[in-house]
Amino acid sequence: MTATHPLQQVLQHLHAGRWNAAHDLVQQDGSLLGAWLHGILHLQEGDLEDAENWYDRAARHFRSRGTLAEEIAALEAALAASSAPAAAPSASTPPHI
């Protein structure tokens, strides 16, 4: 069984059009990715002032963001990268001394 990032459930609600359920869940996440997703939700809602606030909290540049679809895709890629297990050093890689 593969572990998924807790914010995946927020994304499932977002994709299903359940904005309130997504918003309720994302409020429980204090991470930078959670703040970014919170901003994306407000962007989707059309509340640009709140979206910009959450982008600031996520240390992201609101005014140079992509489209809503691009932001969601970028966030999904970031979640996938944060959920991936760290790569083990290969046998041919010498240890750091």
Side-chain angles (χ1 to χ4, degrees), residues 52-75:
E52 186 170 10
N53 173 47
W54 284 102
Y55 268 69
D56 285 346
R57 291 182 188 199
R60 300 200 55 90
H61 297 284
F62 180 76
R63 297 190 187 270
S64 60
R65 71 189 184 282
T67 65
L68 179 61
E70 289 168 341
E71 289 296 296
I72 291 169
L75 182 103

Side-chain angles (χ1 to χ4, degrees), residues 7-92:
L7 291 173
Q8 288 293 346
Q9 189 174 12
V10 176
L11 282 168
Q12 288 172 354
H13 287 304
L14 180 147
H15 287 301
R18 296 185 299 264
W19 190 91
N20 287 328
H23 190 254
D24 288 347
L25 279 177
V26 80
Q27 291 183 89
Q28 299 171 23
D29 190 294
S31 70
L32 289 176
L33 286 174
W36 183 17
L37 183 49
H38 200 149
I40 290 170
L41 285 169
H42 283 288
L43 185 62
Q44 180 189 40
E45 177 194 27
D47 184 350
L48 300 182
E49 186 176 335
D50 228 3
E52 186 170 10
N53 173 47
W54 284 102
Y55 268 69
D56 285 346
R57 291 182 188 199
R60 300 200 55 90
H61 297 284
F62 180 76
R63 297 190 187 270
S64 60
R65 71 189 184 282
T67 65
L68 179 61
E70 289 168 341
E71 289 296 296
I72 291 169
L75 182 103
E76 288 173 334
L79 284 178
S82 73
S83 297
S90 68
S92 63

